[in-house]
Amino acid sequence: MRASSTGEIDADRLWSRLSELAEIGKSEGGGVTRLSFTEEEWAAKDLVASYMREAGLAVREDAAGNLIGRREGRVEDAPVVLTGSHVDSVRNGGDFDGPLGALGAVEALQTMDERGVETERPVEVVAFTDEEGARFSFGMIGSRATAGTLTPEHLANEDENGVSIAEAMRASGLDPGRIDEVARAPGSVYAYVELHIEQGRILESKNLPVGVVTGIAGPAWLRFTLAGEAAHAGTTPMNLRRDALAAAAEVIGRIEREAARTGTSVGTVGQLDLSPGGINIVPGQVSFSLDLRDIDEDVRDDVEARIMHEAALLCEKRDVELETKTLQRLPPAPCSALVQDAAREACETLGFEPFGLASGAGHDGMHLTELCPIGMIFVRSKDGLSHNPAEYSSKDDCTAGAEVLYRTLLKLAGET
Ligand code: HGY
Ligand code: MN
Ligand code: MN
């Protein structure tokens, strides 16, 4: 029985799967935590694999832990159309970031199967390993491996307990020495399209359920380490201190000011550690993260240069040593006309405005632009919230997004 009278997608099945997956890694407070190579991520992938099998897909896991469900096309060995997203999450995240794209894609392929649809090209749904980078401060591991750009050096990144990505992979039964096998051969992928929540307020402000992504902003992740001098809080005069936290506070204020100045870039300090951490000790060492983004790489890099210049001056004045390390740096990724046009046509067929918007959030497709044309379809986020337990998209909007994805895939895969 079709739950959605207007389209093909089974709205109830998609919604109940989203709800079931959301329970994995959920805390009392309602937030979801499914870090890569943990019990929670494995359980999530096992559940998605069961849905893939229900959808009639051939299911496998590659050497990077990407979970893949394949539906054959009419033309043997034709370049594959990839779709999907991720099922890992940030700490205390929401129910939709990642799962909507993975489960929306499974739903689209199951609908093709139930309708006896034949496509020229094969279609594969991928649940990419570690999109978020929440555990190792280095993300998009599965899509990098798919693009052939993941290196052994990348696998040396460690989590807060000193466990490297390579060790975590081995603990998951994966062999990090085989990551090269994951890379897709040039010409083997026709296109990649991902359904995802917007995680911003634009669609909501336009009162639109869906949108077509024009490009993805490029994130630069850095770690700042400031070394001053731990000292007695009671006996050290203010003018004789080398207070690492006071210096960091000034630098963070400059980050906010410089990132806000352009009107398009965003700068976030999401992690901060200090030591020794006594109530009566002047902080001797501080480290904090910077996530800096813009849809224009030159603008982002100019903001970064200004921040670095001011941080150096501020720390020199306070006789605090400053060290910075780049954790990851991605150029903005344009979405291809091929995928955008297919998604716009799908929107128009369904009576939705084919509204174009950029993505402030990073996504796996950023790593696939050399491999194939990429594109994304967005679904409205309530209050623009994400990376937060209150993250929410309505059942109707999720269904609308999956309908657009379904028709976009039919177009890209060549419905016969
Ligand atoms: O950080 C991001 O933009 C994405 O959610 N990984
Ligand atoms: Mn995501
Ligand atoms: Mn995310």
Side-chain angles (χ1 to χ4, degrees):
M1 192 270 281
R2 276 290 128 228
S4 142
S5 56
T6 52
E8 317 268 346
I9 291 297
D10 185 332
D12 289 345
R13 180 168 63 194
L14 174 59
W15 192 251
S16 85
R17 285 175 173 170
L18 279 167
S19 308
E20 191 176 13
L21 177 53
E23 288 310 307
I24 298 177
K26 181 149 283 193
S27 68
E28 291 292 306
V32 168
T33 301
R34 287 194 295 263
L35 303 185
S36 54
F37 308 113
T38 62
E39 301 279 341
E40 292 78 15
E41 194 199 34
W42 302 330
K45 285 184 172 175
D46 287 348
L47 182 63
V48 174
S50 72
Y51 296 152
M52 287 177 169
R53 282 189 283 274
E54 285 173 22
L57 304 180
V59 183
R60 70 183 177 94
E61 181 185 63
D62 69 19
N66 294 316
L67 176 67
I68 299 160
R70 179 181 170 93
R71 184 170 195 270
E72 291 304 338
R74 195 172 43 75
V75 178
E76 189 78 15
D77 297 336
V80 65
V81 173
L82 290 184
T83 182
S85 190
H86 60 95
V87 295
D88 68 296
S89 76
V90 293
R91 287 179 174 80
N92 201 40
D95 294 356
F96 299 85
D97 175 1
L100 176 60
L103 299 183
V106 172
E107 179 55 38
L109 293 193
Q110 186 158 357
T111 301
M112 285 184 198
D113 198 46
E114 290 169 347
R115 291 202 162 338
V117 167
E118 230 197 346
T119 58
E120 182 188 334
R121 301 180 185 89
V123 184
E124 291 182 6
V125 188
V126 186
F128 286 108
T129 292
D130 197 340
E131 186 277 338
E132 293 289 4
R135 179 174 174 186
F136 301 99
S137 297
F138 178 86
M140 304 186 195
I141 293 172
S143 44
R144 291 172 193 261
T146 301
T149 56
L150 187 69
T151 67
E153 292 68 35
H154 290 151
L155 301 186
N157 278 290
E158 296 179 349
D159 68 9
E160 59 197 4
N161 302 313
V163 176
S164 71
I165 296 173
E167 287 160 346
M169 289 179 74
R170 277 190 280 273
S172 304
L174 296 167
D175 174 359
R178 292 179 48 216
I179 53 170
D180 289 347
E181 295 171 21
V182 175
R184 300 284 180 134
S188 67
V189 181
Y190 181 76
Y192 173 71
V193 58
E194 178 173 353
L195 175 66
H196 203 283
I197 53 173
E198 178 200 339
Q199 302 176 294
R201 296 171 186 271
I202 297 172
L203 290 176
E204 188 175 57
S205 70
K206 302 272 182 190
N207 194 25
L208 294 172
V210 295
V212 178
V213 179
T214 55
I216 306 171
W221 285 4
L222 297 98
R223 188 166 307 291
F224 285 63
T225 303
L226 286 75
E229 183 179 59
H232 195 297
T235 59
T236 312
M238 295 306 285
N239 65 334
L240 297 181
R241 294 179 177 208
R242 297 174 57 217
D243 185 333
L245 185 58
E250 276 200 293
V251 172
I252 293 168
R254 288 295 198 289
I255 286 172
E256 186 186 42
R257 190 181 74 183
E258 288 305 327
R261 190 174 48 77
T262 66
T264 54
S265 45
V266 286
T268 310
V269 174
Q271 296 170 332
L272 184 139
D273 296 295
L274 68 83
S275 65
I279 191 167
N280 57 357
I281 309 174
V282 175
Q285 172 130 343
V286 167
S287 85
F288 62 80
S289 62
L290 171 60
D291 174 322
L292 186 63
R293 310 190 191 200
D294 197 287
I295 195 70
D296 179 322
E297 190 169 13
D298 294 338
V299 170
R300 182 194 71 191
D301 292 350
D302 177 57
V303 172
E304 181 182 350
R306 296 166 73 95
I307 288 169
M308 295 309 227
H309 175 69
E310 298 199 27
L313 291 178
L314 287 166
C315 288
E316 192 184 350
K317 190 179 76 181
R318 289 170 171 269
D319 191 17
V320 167
E321 284 160 42
L322 170 66
E323 192 186 296
T324 57
K325 181 186 174 196
T326 297
L327 303 175
Q328 69 173 3
R329 179 185 299 278
L330 298 176
C335 290
S336 70
L338 173 79
V339 180
Q340 286 196 61
D341 291 349
R344 284 201 184 96
E345 191 181 314
C347 286
E348 284 159 351
T349 306
L350 288 158
F352 296 126
E353 181 186 341
F355 180 76
L357 71 166
S359 171
H363 298 283
D364 283 307
M366 304 179 81
H367 288 282
L368 305 179
T369 52
E370 296 299 311
L371 182 65
C372 64
I374 71 151
M376 295 187 74
I377 298 155
F378 268 174
V379 162
R380 173 170 39 189
S381 291
K382 185 173 180 314
D383 302 329
L385 274 180
S386 183
H387 289 186
N388 179 314
E391 178 182 284
Y392 180 78
S393 291
S394 71
K395 179 177 177 181
D396 285 349
D397 287 357
C398 291
T399 304
E403 291 282 3
V404 173
L405 177 68
Y406 173 67
R407 283 167 175 70
T408 302
L409 287 170
L410 290 182
K411 179 81 180 165
L412 293 172
E415 181 184 11
T416 50

